[in-house]
């Protein structure tokens, strides 16, 4: 006891006692730190993130499940020449199909429809037309004909969609420019004007509205505006849009007024629309000539020739 009392009377004993009490307090608070419950707000945030990630992953899997299967055969479903692949992708974008797998899906549709209709034609020929009197030309007509139709049908569909979309953009572009000019002169920026025009013209010209929305989203993402506008011209494939992009890029490069450039170009677009309407009106008589002849000449011949035929028949009897 005398040794302990002597030890505690010194400074070292006091220091050790304080250290022991501190270690005891730390060890006593560890269970409370380990067993602490998470904040309910943090749990809610984590559950929302997990749900969003699961939903996004499910949507991504549902959208790209078939495309991942097609990627295995990309060597056979895509042109190996870079120029042909670029031209095909541009054509698909101009037709409104912007996905990365659009070219593969197009070639897969060609192959599937071609082989499917070829097999259907072969089955029809074997069941109904094959026989001892059948000829080679009949077999080619019933077997190769449906196969060729199935192979060319996707190409015809894409070309038709491309033309319809370009016609829609050409028809709606003058109105879009007039609306854009009004927005710019009212004090809005070019980006705000593009968003407003895209929202207003969607009921009438959805293809052009989609292009303007893509432009606004790419600009918001930080992409260079001349590059975004040039990409829009390539996606549309319309000469009026290409000229419009050139006007905007030059106006931005030289620092001139965008409103003045829009006013001049909008006037030119209105004049071109009137000229296109006049051209169609001038073509109308030529297009009606064939229909007029088919509907007028046969009845006229019947009226003129029928009495003579009846008279000659009566004399013969």
């Amino acid at each position: 006891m005398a040794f302990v009392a002597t030890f505690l009377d010194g400074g070292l004993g006091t220091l050790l006692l304080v250290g022991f009490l501190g270690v005891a307090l730390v060890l006593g608070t560890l269970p409370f730190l380990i067993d602490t419950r998470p904040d309910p707000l943090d749990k809610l945030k984590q559950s929302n993130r997990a749900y969003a990630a699961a939903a996004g992953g499910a949507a991504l899997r549902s959208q790209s499940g078939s495309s991942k299967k097609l990627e295995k055969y990309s060597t056979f479903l895509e042109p190996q020449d870079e120029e042909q692949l670029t031209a095909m992708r541009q054509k698909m974008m101009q037709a409104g199909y912007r996905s990365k797998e659009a070219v593969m899906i197009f070639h897969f549709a060609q192959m599937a429809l071609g082989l499917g209709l070829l097999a259907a034609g072969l089955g029809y020929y074997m069941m109904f037309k094959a026989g001892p009197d059948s000829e080679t030309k009949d077999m080619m007509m019933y077997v190769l004909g449906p196969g060729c139709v199935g192979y060319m049908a996707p190409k015809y569909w894409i070309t038709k969609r491309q033309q319809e979309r370009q016609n829609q953009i050409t028809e709606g572009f003058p109105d879009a420019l007039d609306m854009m000019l009004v927005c710019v002169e009212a004090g809005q920026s070019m980006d705000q004007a593009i968003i407003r025009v895209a929202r207003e013209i969607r009921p009438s010209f959805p293809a052009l509205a989609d292009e303007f929305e893509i432009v606004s989203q790419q600009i918001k993402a930080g992409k260079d505006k001349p590059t975004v506008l040039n990409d829009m011209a390539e996606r549309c494939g319309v000469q009026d849009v290409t000229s419009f992009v050139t006007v905007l890029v030059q106006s931005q490069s030289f620092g001139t007024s965008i409103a003045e450039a829009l006013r001049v170009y909008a006037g030119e677009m209105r004049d071109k629309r009137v000229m296109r309407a006049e051209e169609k009106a001038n073509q109308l008589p030529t297009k009606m000539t064939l229909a007029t002849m088919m509907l007028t000449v046969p009845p006229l011949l019947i009226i003129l020739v029928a009495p003579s035929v009846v008279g000659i028949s009566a004399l013969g009897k």
Side-chain angles (χ1 to χ4, degrees):
M1 295 296 294
F3 174 79
V4 173
T6 305
F7 182 77
L8 292 177
D9 288 340
L12 184 60
T14 305
L15 184 61
L16 288 175
L17 182 61
V18 172
F20 177 79
L21 292 177
V23 171
L25 290 175
V26 171
L27 293 176
T29 55
L30 280 178
F32 298 97
L33 294 175
I34 295 173
D35 296 333
T36 53
R37 296 180 180 181
D39 190 0
L41 183 60
D42 294 337
K43 291 178 65 178
L44 181 61
K45 290 181 180 179
Q46 291 177 359
S47 62
N48 289 335
R49 292 195 195 101
Y51 178 76
L60 183 61
R61 287 192 297 270
S62 62
Q63 290 178 358
S64 62
S66 59
S67 62
K68 287 182 179 179
K69 295 179 181 179
L70 291 178
E71 285 180 358
K72 300 178 182 178
Y73 309 99
S74 60
T75 306
F76 304 98
L77 296 177
E78 284 185 350
Q80 298 303 310
D81 188 6
E82 190 67 26
E83 294 182 359
Q84 294 180 1
L85 181 60
T86 303
M88 193 63 204
R89 282 178 178 172
Q90 184 176 359
K91 186 173 183 178
M92 297 296 292
M93 284 192 297
Q94 291 177 0
Y97 302 104
R98 305 184 187 90
S99 63
K100 189 176 72 172
E101 300 82 13
V103 178
M104 289 190 295
I105 295 173
F106 169 74
H107 288 291
F108 176 75
Q110 276 190 322
M111 183 180 66
L113 287 176
L115 295 178
L117 292 182
L118 183 67
L122 180 60
Y124 177 80
Y125 177 78
M126 296 299 293
M127 287 188 295
F128 299 104
K129 297 298 181 180
D133 298 333
S134 60
E135 298 180 358
T136 306
K137 63 178 182 180
D138 296 334
M139 183 183 68
M140 294 180 64
M141 181 178 66
Y142 286 105
V143 177
L144 297 181
C148 293
V149 171
Y151 182 79
M152 296 302 296
K155 186 175 182 180
Y156 171 76
W157 172 259
I158 293 299
T159 303
K160 185 179 179 181
R161 280 290 303 268
Q162 180 186 12
Q163 293 176 353
E164 290 179 353
R165 194 168 181 273
Q166 288 177 348
N167 291 334
Q168 185 182 136
I169 291 174
T170 303
E171 291 175 1
F173 199 63
D175 296 334
L177 283 182
D178 291 337
M179 193 177 301
M180 192 177 299
L181 176 61
V182 172
C183 293
V184 171
E185 289 182 342
Q188 291 185 343
S189 64
M190 192 64 188
D191 301 342
Q192 294 174 343
I194 290 175
I195 297 173
R196 181 62 181 271
V197 169
R199 185 170 62 249
E200 294 295 334
I201 67 174
R202 176 164 293 280
S204 302
F205 309 102
L208 186 58
D210 291 338
E211 294 297 333
F212 281 134
E213 284 187 356
I214 292 174
V215 169
S216 64
Q217 291 172 0
Q218 289 180 346
I219 292 176
K220 286 181 181 179
K223 200 172 181 179
D224 190 15
K225 185 177 292 185
T227 305
V228 171
L229 294 175
N230 289 324
D231 292 342
M232 175 186 174
E234 291 181 0
R235 288 194 307 268
C236 294
V238 179
Q239 182 62 36
D240 295 342
V241 179
T242 304
S243 302
F244 167 72
V245 168
T246 304
V247 169
L248 286 186
V249 171
Q250 290 180 352
S251 177
Q252 183 179 2
S253 300
F254 298 126
T256 58
S257 174
I258 296 180
E260 186 65 27
L262 283 176
R263 185 181 298 107
V264 174
Y265 194 73
E268 293 181 0
M269 289 296 101
R270 287 193 296 270
D271 295 339
K272 288 185 68 174
R273 180 168 58 183
V274 173
M275 292 174 62
R276 283 195 295 266
E278 292 178 351
E279 182 181 358
K280 291 181 179 180
N282 293 331
Q283 291 176 354
L284 188 60
T286 305
K287 294 180 179 179
M288 292 180 62
T289 301
L290 182 60
T292 303
M293 292 178 62
M294 293 177 61
L295 298 175
T296 305
V297 174
L300 183 61
L301 291 176
I302 293 173
I303 294 172
L304 295 176
V305 176
S308 302
V309 173
V310 173
I312 293 172
S313 299
L315 292 176
K317 293 179 180 180

